[in-house]
Amino acid sequence: MSRFSEIRDLVMGLEGDFEKFYDKGNQAAGTRVRKGMQDLKNLAQDIRKEVQDKKNEG
């Protein structure tokens, strides 16, 4: 379940940058959002592989 916590923490950590980018037009915050989304994508892919591997073991 710690993998879920990693995703939740990553998304929650980006909340401020989302607000700065969408509400205030802060371009640097947009860059941080894009990086965070890439990290989220990579983490999700790792989790998918882990789940698939566990599923195939049984």
Side-chain angles (χ1 to χ4, degrees):
M1 197 66 172
S2 69
R3 300 295 257 168
F4 177 76
S5 296
E6 287 181 57
I7 289 178
R8 185 184 58 224
D9 293 344
L10 179 59
V11 170
M12 296 307 292
L14 290 171
E15 184 177 15
D17 288 327
F18 268 98
E19 290 173 0
K20 288 177 187 174
F21 179 71
Y22 284 108
D23 296 340
K24 299 177 184 171
N26 183 322
Q27 296 301 308
T31 300
R32 291 189 296 271
V33 167
R34 289 182 61 233
K35 183 189 181 311
M37 291 291 96
Q38 185 65 41
D39 293 345
L40 180 62
K41 175 186 169 190
N42 292 337
L43 181 57
Q45 187 63 40
D46 291 345
I47 293 169
R48 288 186 75 240
K49 184 178 181 325
E50 184 179 299
V51 168
Q52 186 68 32
D53 290 346
K54 278 191 173 207
K55 188 180 112 183
N56 289 339
E57 286 176 2

